Amino acid sequence: MNVQKLTPEAKASALAELKDWSLVDGRDAIKRTLVFKDFNAAFGFMTRVAIHADKHDHHPEWFNVYNRVEVTLATHDCQGLSIRDVTLAKFIDEIYSQ
């Protein structure tokens, strides 16, 4: 599947919707840090995201320490930010808010 990088306009529009996400310095990617009650809650969140990501063949870069999960999204197929990242970020926001 041919995935296209977001245009500057589409990227600005996506970031306006994804209020808790920010651009990564030095690369075409977005990031967010999420804090949970404890490690179990963080790991449960990561498991839900992993199952969803695997079904959609689009996997996050992430780092976990205890109750904190740092997520970075970029699409390797197009070497930058794509609609896949925006879609996954919205899913992450949705389950985090639960």
Side-chain angles (χ1 to χ4, degrees):
M1 182 172 169
N2 189 13
V3 180
Q4 301 282 322
K5 268 189 189 185
L6 293 179
T7 64
E9 296 80 16
K11 190 184 309 182
S13 176
L15 282 170
E17 288 181 40
L18 300 170
K19 304 252 184 256
D20 296 312
W21 294 80
S22 59
L23 291 172
V24 176
D25 289 336
R27 65 185 281 212
D28 192 18
I30 55 175
K31 65 180 179 179
R32 180 173 182 191
T33 299
L34 307 116
V35 179
F36 297 86
K37 179 179 78 168
D38 55 25
F39 176 74
N40 196 35
F43 193 81
F45 164 82
M46 291 176 72
T47 301
R48 287 183 70 191
V49 173
I51 291 167
H52 176 87
D54 206 45
K55 284 181 183 175
H56 293 88
D57 195 29
H58 188 60
H59 306 93
E61 298 171 29
W62 52 18
F63 180 76
N64 165 245
V65 175
Y66 184 57
N67 69 334
R68 191 180 81 240
V69 178
E70 298 172 11
V71 182
T72 301
L73 300 176
T75 302
H76 300 287
D77 291 345
C78 70
Q79 302 297 310
L81 204 57
S82 77
I83 192 64
R84 288 181 177 183
D85 305 302
V86 174
T87 302
L88 186 53
K90 287 178 180 179
F91 176 79
I92 288 169
D93 287 349
E94 179 183 321
I95 65 167
Y96 182 66
S97 69
Q98 297 172 0

